[in-house]
Amino acid sequence: MAKFVLAGKTDCPHYAKAELLADSLQRCLPNFRIHKISVLPHAWKEWLEDTCTRNGWKHEQSPLVWRELVDQGGKAMLLGGFSDFLEHCQDYYSVTSDMLTDIMLSVASENLETKMNSIVEEQHRVSLIKPLHIWLSSALSPTGHFLIPNLLSAEVFPNTSAISLHLLNLEGKEEQLQWLRMETENLALPLLYQVTIHTDLEQAFKEADVILLQDECWSDDSDTEDEEEMKRKVKRISDRYREYGQLIDTRANREVKVIVSGDSFVNLRCSLLLDNVNVIDSNQFVTVATQLENEARAIIARKLKVRTSDVTHVIVWGNISGSFYIDLQRAKVFNYDGPIKGPAYFSQPAKNILQERKWLETDFQELVRCQRAAVASKTCRAAPMSLANGILEVLKAWNGICGPDEIFSLGVLCPGDYNLPGGIVLSVPVIFTHRKWSVLSDVTREDNLKKRLEIAASELRQEKELIGCERYITKS
């Protein structure tokens, strides 16, 4: 099988003559295949230079002809220009072209006109497509790799015909992002419209419908952090998220959904965004505690010898990456093998089964706190799979894919009736209705819980004060 590639300027007469000769050979010879690349005149020089540099060739004129040797396991082999292609056809196939100059010029003109018309048609087609714009920060992280294929799914975004995925990684190398883009495109998922990559904030969050902000990674991060290193890290987070907030407020769509996730300063990062937005509603910014919920569910499931999915409605209060409290006042357990049994839809309150109040208030809380660290130490990596799953669960609920009674724990701007300082982001129980969340009202906040919320609020306030102190020192 002879496979040739013919590339040239759209208005080039020699390209037109070579094109017609190649078409004639392809019609007559069953083992001759030609792939044509028509390049607009203004883009030809740059395209030619890039192609030759990539393949180690030297060529200056239009057209450019090469042979693909993929079947033989080799790379492309340069044939040359028009004269070389004509000579090859004469020697191997005893075929030549006697096209007159006037006809060559006429065909070249038609080629250019056809190319311009096809560009106009494609631009019109593209203008009719309104893709959903998803921005993913720290895209090179392990969590990003779990998220990407699931984000491009109708299970997460129903009633969406196309998705533009924008991969942002400020500390990553562009080459790594290029490979990630290629891998994403190779998934061949029907919802994927385009993938763009970004290593700076020049285009960040433009037209965003969904923004997923993961932990920030810096190239000089160390495994051990003293107090001064922690202050520097908090200040960098502060500066970056203030800028993120301003960019989101001016560039993103007004109904954008912003989800902040990770292990470090999750509530603080969301709070910093909210401090720097004026136009977008604060209800569009949340942090996810779903990973903590699921870790707590898994611990209870192991203790009761049921599946993790059999434990529902666990609530996380407080500072997701700091002082949090796992509350089981609404938790239910299905399929428990105890004295009271029922059909599959029968459930029992978790507290009725787990009558170890001291364990629930002490050891259980500490087990949840240490669960992620234990996974990381044993696997030598964080828990990206469970974090990605938590993000996706919240996205599905926000897009209307959840039951009316399903409870989620989200970090949101502190509700006014909690008698806590304003301007902080606190994890509270919410439900989703008609693609909007609302704080669950019929929960009991006992004195013990109120004290824990005050501790979390104090912790978050200190984090914000630390930023203010650092900024003051910097300015002075």
Side-chain angles (χ1 to χ4, degrees):
M1 176 72 72
K3 298 180 180 179
F4 292 89
V5 179
L6 171 63
K9 287 194 297 182
T10 312
D11 62 348
C12 172
H14 289 103
Y15 173 69
K17 189 171 184 177
E19 181 184 22
L20 291 177
L21 177 58
D23 287 343
S24 176
L25 285 170
Q26 186 163 252
R27 285 193 300 268
C28 299
L29 302 173
N31 292 324
F32 184 94
R33 292 291 180 269
I34 188 74
H35 174 64
K36 291 175 282 186
I37 302 174
S38 177
V39 183
L40 289 173
H42 72 273
W44 169 254
K45 184 177 180 181
E46 182 179 354
W47 183 92
L48 180 62
E49 288 176 355
D50 290 345
T51 303
C52 289
T53 300
R54 188 167 59 251
N55 292 282
W57 299 336
K58 289 185 179 180
H59 192 79
E60 298 179 355
Q61 302 294 327
S62 172
L64 170 69
V65 187
W66 70 86
R67 184 173 179 180
E68 294 285 357
L69 299 177
V70 179
D71 290 347
Q72 286 81 25
K75 65 178 184 178
M77 183 181 71
L78 177 66
L79 189 62
F82 170 72
S83 299
D84 301 298
F85 181 60
L86 192 63
E87 183 178 345
H88 180 86
C89 292
Q90 288 174 331
D91 291 345
Y92 279 84
Y93 307 112
S94 300
V95 175
T96 188
S97 174
D98 54 1
M99 182 185 292
L100 299 176
T101 302
D102 290 345
I103 299 177
M104 287 170 56
L105 292 171
S106 176
V107 173
S109 177
E110 289 178 7
N111 281 345
L112 180 59
E113 183 179 359
T114 301
K115 182 70 173 181
M116 295 306 296
N117 287 338
S118 67
I119 290 174
V120 171
E121 290 174 2
E122 176 63 15
Q123 288 174 342
H124 176 66
R125 186 189 69 82
V126 169
S127 69
L128 298 176
I129 298 174
K130 302 297 181 186
L132 185 81
H133 291 275
I134 301 176
W135 283 82
L136 176 63
S137 80
S138 301
L140 292 170
S141 70
T143 304
H145 284 73
F146 283 110
L147 280 172
I148 287 172
N150 289 286
L151 289 173
L152 303 171
S153 165
E155 291 184 10
V156 180
F157 295 101
N159 306 317
T160 298
S161 59
I163 292 176
S164 287
L165 184 61
H166 308 279
L167 305 176
L168 174 66
N169 209 105
L170 300 183
E171 303 300 324
K173 295 180 180 179
E174 186 171 352
E175 183 181 2
Q176 293 174 304
L177 281 173
Q178 291 281 13
W179 282 108
L180 181 58
R181 174 169 64 182
M182 185 184 302
E183 186 178 0
T184 303
E185 291 170 340
N186 289 347
L187 294 173
L189 295 172
L191 285 186
L192 181 60
Y193 176 64
Q194 66 171 349
V195 184
T196 66
I197 60 173
H198 307 267
T199 55
D200 56 48
L201 297 177
E202 185 178 348
Q203 302 292 323
F205 312 130
K206 282 190 174 181
E207 301 182 283
D209 298 295
V210 175
I211 299 174
L212 305 178
L213 297 175
Q214 304 183 76
D215 275 331
E216 300 292 321
C217 297
W218 283 278
S219 56
D220 58 347
D221 272 352
S222 60
D223 294 333
T224 58
E225 293 179 342
D226 57 20
E227 185 177 348
E228 289 303 314
E229 178 61 30
M230 179 62 71
K231 286 182 179 180
R232 285 193 292 270
K233 183 174 182 179
V234 171
K235 182 187 180 300
R236 287 154 87 177
I237 291 173
S238 169
D239 291 342
R240 181 161 291 181
Y241 271 75
R242 290 177 194 275
E243 187 173 10
Y244 280 176
Q246 293 164 6
L247 292 174
I248 291 170
D249 202 42
T250 55
R251 293 177 175 177
N253 290 330
R254 291 296 165 259
E255 297 300 316
V256 64
K257 297 177 175 70
V258 182
I259 296 179
V260 182
S261 65
D263 292 321
S264 300
F265 302 103
V266 182
N267 295 51
L268 175 64
R269 284 153 52 208
C270 188
S271 178
L272 290 168
L273 295 177
L274 289 167
D275 288 344
N276 290 276
V277 297
N278 299 305
V279 179
I280 299 176
D281 194 296
S282 62
N283 286 350
Q284 302 304 115
F285 295 80
V286 304
T287 68
V288 290
T290 318
Q291 185 178 13
L292 282 175
E293 285 180 22
N294 292 341
E295 287 165 355
R297 292 167 64 193
I299 291 171
I300 294 170
R302 284 195 291 271
K303 188 174 182 66
L304 299 180
K305 295 181 173 55
V306 297
R307 297 174 303 173
T308 303
S309 59
D310 288 331
V311 182
T312 64
H313 296 174
V314 171
I315 297 173
V316 178
W317 298 90
N319 184 1
I320 295 168
S321 49
S323 298
F324 60 81
Y325 175 67
I326 307 297
D327 184 2
L328 301 184
Q329 65 172 287
R330 298 292 294 269
K332 298 178 181 179
V333 180
F334 293 81
N335 300 315
Y336 175 61
D337 188 15
I340 303 175
K341 298 180 182 179
Y345 58 82
F346 173 75
S347 66
Q348 301 176 66
K351 280 192 168 184
N352 289 0
I353 304 173
L354 294 164
Q355 296 183 357
E356 307 169 55
R357 183 173 179 83
K358 185 178 179 181
W359 181 82
L360 290 174
E361 295 296 328
T362 55
D363 293 352
F364 171 60
Q365 303 291 331
E366 190 60 28
L367 279 171
V368 177
R369 199 173 308 279
C370 298
Q371 173 100 334
R372 202 174 311 171
V375 171
S377 66
K378 295 297 183 182
T379 62
C380 299
R381 60 189 299 184
M385 192 186 307
S386 59
L387 179 55
N389 181 64
I391 295 168
L392 293 166
E393 283 187 27
V394 171
L395 269 176
K396 288 178 183 178
W398 213 341
N399 290 322
I401 310 172
C402 70
D405 300 324
E406 200 166 347
I407 298 174
F408 295 84
S409 300
L410 293 185
V412 301
L413 195 61
C414 188
D417 60 345
Y418 275 41
N419 297 319
L420 294 170
I424 62 172
V425 171
L426 207 66
S427 178
V428 297
V430 307
I431 57 173
F432 284 90
T433 309
H434 305 304
R435 303 194 176 198
K436 293 185 181 296
W437 62 263
S438 59
V439 176
L440 190 65
S441 57
D442 57 336
V443 288
T444 304
R445 298 200 301 275
E446 298 176 343
D447 290 342
N448 178 46
L449 176 56
K450 289 179 180 178
K451 288 179 182 178
R452 290 179 181 269
L453 290 179
E454 288 172 1
I455 292 172
S458 175
E459 185 178 76
L460 291 165
R461 188 172 63 249
Q462 288 173 14
E463 289 177 358
K464 296 194 81 170
E465 288 173 356
L466 178 62
I467 293 169
C469 175
E470 283 293 300
R471 292 179 71 81
Y472 175 77
I473 292 172
T474 304
K475 287 180 180 178
S476 62

